[in-house]
Amino acid sequence: MTSASMVIDPVRQALRRHALRHTPVRRAVLLLLLESPCALSGREIERQLSVASDRITLFRTLRTFEQKGLVHRVLDSCEIVRYAISGPGGQAHVHFKCTNCLRLYCLRDIAVPAVELPTPLRVTAADYLLSGLCAKCQPS
């Protein structure tokens, strides 16, 4: 076994862990999301994709990743759907949108605060979006 074959491939491992076949498009999308410091819209993913793919295949891939818990959707204040890698256990976490550069960051270490609602209301999804200036956009 060569040293190159012993290198751990996180993309292949993630696909295997979620019982997904390894395809060039899945690999490229997952790698792009793993390397991105912020959540990306479908259009941003499409523009940055390193392999040829049609829009239908891209969105089927994203939907499959979401169904398997590999990525999660983040709806920003403009109602643009963005995608980001899910954290362990897929727990709901806080998101931060920079009002200057419009990047959307996952704050995976900050859980969505629990809110007690009056009966008969019941929470089925929790989104928590903060906005302000990211470190790059703050005046020095």
Side-chain angles (χ1 to χ4, degrees), residues 14 27 34 67 79 82 84 89 92 101 121 140:
R27 177 176 188 76
L34 282 168
Q67 289 169 342
E79 298 199 14
R82 298 178 187 275
C101 68
L121 302 177
S140 42

Side-chain angles (χ1 to χ4, degrees), residues 52-139:
S53 174
D54 59 76
R55 187 169 283 161
I56 292 170
T57 301
L58 171 61
F59 282 95
R60 282 183 182 158
T61 297
L62 290 168
R63 186 177 63 226
T64 299
F65 283 179
E66 186 180 6
Q67 289 169 342
K68 292 286 191 168
L70 194 52
V71 301
H72 64 279
R73 283 178 174 227
V74 184
L75 192 61
D76 74 11
S77 57
C78 301
E79 298 199 14
I80 294 173
V81 174
R82 298 178 187 275
Y83 298 88
I85 295 295
S86 293
Q91 74 248 20
H93 54 265
V94 174
H95 295 91
F96 180 87
K97 180 178 181 180
C98 179
T99 55
N100 186 53
C101 68
L102 305 180
R103 286 189 171 177
L104 191 66
Y105 299 89
C106 287
L107 305 177
R108 288 186 184 92
D109 295 333
I110 304 174
V112 171
V115 176
E116 283 195 41
L117 296 176
T119 304
L121 302 177
R122 185 173 60 119
V123 175
T124 57
D127 297 315
Y128 201 92
L129 179 66
L130 301 172
S131 58
L133 294 175
C134 69
K136 292 179 184 176
C137 293
Q138 292 179 27

